[in-house]
């Protein structure tokens, strides 16, 4: 690592109003340690719009712009332009959005902003459904999940949108995945993203939701680790849309990950086999990209 | 039948009403306090061979139901203030292209993200004028679950009769409150079905040529007739035009078909109105508190009456003017800054006798609040 880590300073304090075991709260704690106080947060409608808590218990010690659901990428673009005008090159404008506000309603504003290669960091903490309104499916909800709008036999039969590949396809300087079960890797990525000024950086954070996934709150980190070990959520980075680096993955079967969560309890062995096939396919695709970028390097 | 009695939220009563009316396509997006309608649809629609689609935002939700309606289905979407704001462009499209559809707005505090889990009636004027350009709109509301059901069915009937979008303006209290709902037997509430053209395939069909009674028969889009649908001003074929005469004619048609039938669209309930000297006008959850006050005062011999509005747009000016003509005072009870009070003032002979009793703090207006307003109005202090 070329850049020395900033002094670890907690900018997220006790008093947040997340559910017990909230992965998104854990993610914010690590992210803010890496980003430091010269950070502005743009938060669209999402769990974190509530988690930050009311005054005087508010958990965040940096400026927060809580903006309309569909507008995070655009609001961050405006803030960046104003900071540039003021000559402030130090403050990092950081979007902190859920999967609904990133994959669905916010995707247009995000895509528009990164096509302009706006100088900001966009973080999606992904809990794989609309949790703040009570667990409705999003395009980040994985195949096989039961939610309140994919109930019973109507569990979600579509694959999860691959948001990192969609962002990499915009050829932005940096796109990466990160997990709360791998805090060193996660903080390294946030520090790297912070230092890569001048263009759009995107980090996709896996954030366990015990409430919506129906797992015990003490399993938050264990489930996040399983997701990486089972290759459901491999940790990797993409620079300029073409240079791939794998940071962590594993060889555990998808079943190990699926079977500890209530949201997948209904799946039959053949459903799980089908999911394993998708995981294998995704893994092979990612490997080919990594090998291709090695060949180019 | 016992199993037709349910203990449900208002949002579920709305969903049940829509299913009773023949809805078989719903597209939506989660938002508090309306999400239960979408959740109910995702469970019920697959059972009857219908389709629930969760969209990527509210713009998509309304656009999707417009498409489905054109092909011959009864359709609905549901949202709250921020989502209703995003729907305004497509709402205008549905007005212009004359597409029957129902849009539910379970109101919460605004503007912006506002007060998501708390009650408000602040979107009354948005329903009327949220989309741009001159137009007419139908907006209905209700104060209890039986009426939510009934009004939802009527929304579909009005949408089909006039080929128009209909807005259901419920509120958080009615949406989330639980009370008894008795589902009527099939046929108990008359249903208006899609008026289909009698023009056979292979013969010219004019989608925007009204019959003598003003109604426009439809042909399922993509069926036996090829025709054009556009948000541009269009001729009887549906093709774009800027011919001033046709432009003016279409605009007048869009407004007149609703405004000239406002007496048929007007739904309201009267409580103790026959001899009332002082009148309360209210709607939605606020009307429950108003009714409580009226019943309480009547038991003490005070001649107080309640006019509960269910049709907010087109505003029933004639009904209000006539009912209020002999009243000493008219007090509008609502949870906004006087959006319906302004209409009442425009309707009555003496606007000076119209007063506003309101709350805009996210809390349901109580009978005590209303009683205090009445004491001030009557010059008796608080």
């Amino acid at each position: 690592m070329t850049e020395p880590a900033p002094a670890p300073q907690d900018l997220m304090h006790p008093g947040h109003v997340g559910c017990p075991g909230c992965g998104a709260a854990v993610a914010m704690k690590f992210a803010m340690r890496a980003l430091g106080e010269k950070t502005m947060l743009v938060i669209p409608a999402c769990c974190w719009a509530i988690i930050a808590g009311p005054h005087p218990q508010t958990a965040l010690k940096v400026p927060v712009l809580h903006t309309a659901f569909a507008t995070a990428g655009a609001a961050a673009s405006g803030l960046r332009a104003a900071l540039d005008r003021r000559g402030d090159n130090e403050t990092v404008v950081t979007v902190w959005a859920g999967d609904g506000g990133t994959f669905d309603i916010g995707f247009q504003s995000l895509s528009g902003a990164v096509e302009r290669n706006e100088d900001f960091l966009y973080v999606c903490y992904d809990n794989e459904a609309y949790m703040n309104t009570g667990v409705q499916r999003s395009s980040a909800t994985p195949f096989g999940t039961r939610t309140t709008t994919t109930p019973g036999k109507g569990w979600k039969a579509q694959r999860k949108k691959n948001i990192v590949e969609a962002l990499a396809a915009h050829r932005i300087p940096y796109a990466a995945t990160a997990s709360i079960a791998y805090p060193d890797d996660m903080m390294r990525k946030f520090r790297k993203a912070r230092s890569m000024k001048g263009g759009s950086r995107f980090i996709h954070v896996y954030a366990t939701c015990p409430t919506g996934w129906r797992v015990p709150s003490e399993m938050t980190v264990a489930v996040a680790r399983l997701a990486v070990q089972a290759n459901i959520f491999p940790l990797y980075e993409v620079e300029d849309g073409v240079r791939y680096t794998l940071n962590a993955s594993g060889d555990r079967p998808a079943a190990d990950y699926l079977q500890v969560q209530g949201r997948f309890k209904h799946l039959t062995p053949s459903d799980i086999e089908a999911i394993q096939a998708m995981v294998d396919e995704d893994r092979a695709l990612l490997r080919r990209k990594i090998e291709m970028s090695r060949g180019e390097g | 039948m016992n199993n037709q009695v349910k203990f449900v939220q208002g949002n579920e009563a709305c969903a049940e009403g829509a299913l009773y009316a023949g809805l078989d396509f719903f597209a939506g997006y989660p938002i508090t306090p309306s999400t239960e309608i979408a959740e109910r649809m995702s469970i019920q629609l697959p059972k009857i061979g219908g389709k629930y689609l969760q969209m990527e935002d509210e713009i998509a939700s309304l656009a999707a139901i417009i498409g489905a309606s054109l092909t011959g289905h009864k359709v609905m979407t549901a949202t709250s203030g921020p989502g209703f704001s995003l729907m305004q462009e497509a709402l205008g499209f549905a007005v212009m292209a004359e597409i029957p559809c129902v849009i539910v707005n379970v109101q919460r505090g605004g503007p912006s993200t506002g007060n998501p889990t708390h009650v408000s009636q602040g979107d009354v004027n948005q329903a009327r004028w949220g989309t741009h350009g001159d137009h007419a709109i139908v907006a209905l509301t209700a104060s209890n679950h039986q009426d939510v059901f009934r009004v939802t069915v009527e929304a579909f009937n009005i949408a089909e009769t006039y080929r128009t979008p209909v807005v259901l303006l419920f509120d958080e209290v009615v949406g989330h409150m639980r009370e008894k709902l008795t589902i009527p037997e099939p046929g108990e509430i008359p249903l208006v079905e899609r008026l289909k053209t009698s023009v056979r395939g292979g013969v010219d069909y004019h989608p925007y040529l009204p019959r003598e009674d003003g109604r426009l028969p439809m042909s399922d889009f993509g069926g036996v007739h090829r025709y054009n649908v556009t948000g541009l001003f269009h001729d009887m074929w549906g093709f774009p035009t800027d011919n001033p005469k046709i432009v003016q004619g279409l605009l007048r048609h869009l407004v007149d078909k609703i405004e000239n039938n406002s007496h048929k669209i007007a739904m309201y309930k009267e409580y103790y109105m026959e001899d009332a000297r002082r009148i309360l006008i209210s709607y939605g959850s606020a009307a429950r508190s108003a009714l409580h006050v009226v019943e309480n005062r009547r038991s003490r011999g005070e001649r107080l009456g309640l006019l509960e509005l269910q049709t907010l747009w087109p505003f029933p000016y004639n009904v209000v003017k006539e009912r209020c003509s002999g009243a000493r005072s008219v007090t509008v009870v609502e949870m906004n800054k006087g959006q319906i009070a302004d209409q009442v003032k425009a309707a009555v002979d003496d606007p000076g006798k119209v007063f506003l009793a309101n709350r805009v703090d996210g809390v349901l207006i109580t009978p005590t609040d209303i009683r205090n307003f009445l004491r001030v109005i009557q010059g008796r202090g608080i």
Side-chain angles (χ1 to χ4, degrees), chain A residues 82-164:
Chain A
L83 289 175
D84 288 347
R85 190 78 192 272
R86 200 195 275 172
D88 180 346
N89 300 319
E90 204 187 341
T91 302
V92 173
V93 176
T94 303
V95 174
W96 189 267
D99 47 293
T102 304
F103 287 62
D104 291 344
I105 191 169
F107 191 71
Q108 177 171 270
S109 123
L110 168 59
S111 177
V114 300
E115 186 274 334
R116 295 188 300 271
N117 201 21
E118 295 284 354
D119 179 8
F120 65 45
L121 168 59
Y122 191 111
V123 183
C124 171
Y125 69 96
D126 182 3
N127 50 29
E128 303 196 318
Y130 290 88
M131 297 313 185
N132 205 22
T133 45
V135 199
Q136 294 82 30
R137 67 90 92 184
S138 75
S139 61
T141 303
F143 179 95
T145 311
R146 264 190 189 155
T147 68
T148 59
T149 53
T150 51
K153 289 177 187 159
W155 47 262
K156 190 179 168 188
Q158 296 85 32
R159 297 182 70 147
K160 180 186 175 89
K161 187 187 285 183
N162 191 327
I163 196 73
V164 173

Side-chain angles (χ1 to χ4, degrees), chain B residues 358-369:
Chain B
N358 69 344
R359 264 187 101 138
V360 290
D361 58 355
V363 179
L364 176 67
I365 191 165
T366 66
T368 305
D369 295 330

Side-chain angles (χ1 to χ4, degrees), chain A residues 174 176-177 185 188-189 234-237 245-249 290:
Chain A
Y174 187 65
T177 62
D185 176 77
R188 177 185 66 78
K189 284 168 176 166
L235 300 182
Y236 68 104
E237 296 163 275
T245 309
L246 184 66
N247 312 117
S249 64
I290 291 164

Side-chain angles (χ1 to χ4, degrees), chain A residues 27-226:
Chain A
M28 179 68 92
K29 188 178 174 74
F30 290 138
M32 289 313 300
R33 272 188 193 171
L35 291 173
E37 63 182 345
K38 279 297 202 181
T39 302
M40 268 183 182
L41 287 179
V42 178
I43 304 183
C46 62
C47 287
W48 250 101
I50 305 299
I51 295 172
H55 186 76
Q57 280 98 9
T58 180
L60 292 171
K61 303 301 169 196
V62 294
V64 174
L65 173 62
H66 171 202
T67 186
F69 211 171
T71 65
S77 302
L79 282 181
R80 184 67 258 165
L83 289 175
D84 288 347
R85 190 78 192 272
R86 200 195 275 172
D88 180 346
N89 300 319
E90 204 187 341
T91 302
V92 173
V93 176
T94 303
V95 174
W96 189 267
D99 47 293
T102 304
F103 287 62
D104 291 344
I105 191 169
F107 191 71
Q108 177 171 270
S109 123
L110 168 59
S111 177
V114 300
E115 186 274 334
R116 295 188 300 271
N117 201 21
E118 295 284 354
D119 179 8
F120 65 45
L121 168 59
Y122 191 111
V123 183
C124 171
Y125 69 96
D126 182 3
N127 50 29
E128 303 196 318
Y130 290 88
M131 297 313 185
N132 205 22
T133 45
V135 199
Q136 294 82 30
R137 67 90 92 184
S138 75
S139 61
T141 303
F143 179 95
T145 311
R146 264 190 189 155
T147 68
T148 59
T149 53
T150 51
K153 289 177 187 159
W155 47 262
K156 190 179 168 188
Q158 296 85 32
R159 297 182 70 147
K160 180 186 175 89
K161 187 187 285 183
N162 191 327
I163 196 73
V164 173
E165 295 306 314
L167 268 291
H170 286 74
R171 297 293 187 97
I172 56 174
Y174 187 65
T177 62
S179 168
I180 54 167
Y182 296 77
D184 287 342
D185 176 77
M186 182 173 163
M187 287 194 285
R188 177 185 66 78
K189 284 168 176 166
F190 273 86
R191 283 194 295 269
K192 182 171 174 177
R194 190 186 206 295
S195 68
M196 292 177 75
K197 288 176 184 163
S200 301
R201 295 89 79 193
F202 181 83
I203 300 181
H204 181 202
V205 180
Y206 180 95
T208 316
C209 174
T211 310
W213 297 4
R214 294 194 284 139
V215 296
S217 55
E218 68 269 23
M219 290 277 286
T220 292
V221 176
V223 169
R225 190 178 299 116
L226 275 171

Side-chain angles (χ1 to χ4, degrees), chain B residues 40-359:
Chain B
R40 186 90 191 147
M41 291 302 181
S42 75
I43 295 167
Q44 295 301 108
L45 280 173
K47 291 183 189 166
I48 59 164
K51 180 81 178 166
Y52 165 85
L53 262 193
Q54 190 173 313
M55 306 304 292
E56 69 274 21
D57 60 26
E58 290 89 349
I59 298 171
S61 301
L62 183 46
I65 69 164
I66 287 170
S69 176
L70 261 177
T71 67
H73 295 268
K74 287 189 175 177
V75 300
M76 184 168 94
T77 186
T79 188
S80 188
F84 194 49
S85 292
L86 289 180
M87 288 180 181
Q88 293 305 323
E89 186 186 14
L91 179 59
F93 179 86
V95 168
M96 180 62 118
E98 301 188 68
I99 315 289
C101 56
V102 176
I103 301 129
V104 186
N105 174 2
V106 185
Q107 294 169 95
R108 67 192 219 182
S112 190
T113 312
N115 216 350
T117 55
H118 293 272
V119 72
S120 162
Q121 295 175 323
D123 304 346
V124 173
N125 280 336
Q126 185 194 22
R128 179 65 189 88
W129 290 115
T131 198
H132 60 280
D134 277 310
H135 63 280
I137 201 80
V138 179
L140 312 176
T141 187
S143 63
N144 64 69
H145 293 8
Q146 207 60 49
D147 286 353
V148 165
F149 184 97
R150 170 83 199 203
V151 158
T152 301
V153 175
E154 289 306 330
F156 281 88
N157 287 348
I158 292 167
E160 293 297 337
T161 303
Y162 302 102
R163 272 190 72 167
T164 183
V166 175
V167 178
L168 285 171
L169 272 183
F170 297 134
D171 59 61
E172 189 275 337
V173 165
V174 166
H176 280 162
M177 174 179 66
R178 288 182 188 275
E179 67 181 5
K180 188 173 105 170
L181 170 71
T182 307
I183 309 271
E185 293 294 330
E188 212 175 309
I189 304 178
L191 302 181
V192 177
E193 299 303 337
R194 179 70 48 96
L195 179 65
K196 302 263 173 104
T197 180
S198 56
V199 174
R200 292 190 313 278
V203 181
D204 284 345
Y205 159 69
H206 303 90
Y208 296 102
L209 181 65
R211 297 194 310 194
E212 271 184 22
D213 64 359
R215 292 186 68 187
L216 284 83
M218 296 183 77
S219 175
D220 294 350
F221 201 65
V224 296
H225 301 108
R226 192 192 82 88
Y227 62 99
N228 200 60
V229 179
T230 175
L232 291 159
F233 277 97
H234 46 267
D235 58 21
M236 66 180 180
W237 300 90
F239 284 102
T241 178
D242 55 7
N243 178 320
K245 207 174 152 192
I246 298 175
V247 167
Q248 177 177 265
L250 176 54
L251 189 66
R252 284 191 168 168
H253 159 73
L254 294 177
V255 173
D256 289 350
K257 72 173 180 180
I258 304 297
E259 300 291 345
N260 291 350
N261 289 298
S262 61
H263 57 291
K264 292 182 195 161
I265 299 170
M267 290 192 287
Y268 51 90
K269 295 170 98 170
E270 296 177 82
Y271 299 91
Y272 306 101
M273 285 290 286
E274 54 290 333
D275 64 341
R277 296 178 66 186
R278 294 186 186 276
I279 292 173
L280 301 183
I281 295 180
S282 191
Y283 55 96
S285 57
R288 299 173 74 98
S289 295
L291 180 58
H292 186 91
V293 170
V294 169
E295 286 175 341
N296 183 274
R297 290 294 172 106
R298 277 284 166 175
S299 70
R300 295 196 225 159
E302 199 173 315
R303 284 158 67 182
L304 191 63
L306 169 66
L307 176 61
E308 180 190 340
L309 301 179
Q310 292 180 321
T311 300
L312 299 182
W313 305 113
F315 190 77
Y317 293 102
N318 290 335
V319 173
V320 170
K321 178 186 167 78
E322 196 265 313
R323 298 299 191 281
C324 297
S325 60
R328 284 172 61 184
S329 72
V330 179
T331 303
V332 180
V333 182
E334 57 184 336
M335 288 177 288
N336 56 46
K337 295 286 282 174
Q339 296 184 23
I340 286 297
D342 286 347
Q343 303 307 318
V344 173
K345 282 177 189 166
V348 301
D349 294 328
D350 177 12
K353 70 180 181 184
V354 178
F355 300 90
L356 171 65
N358 69 344
R359 264 187 101 138

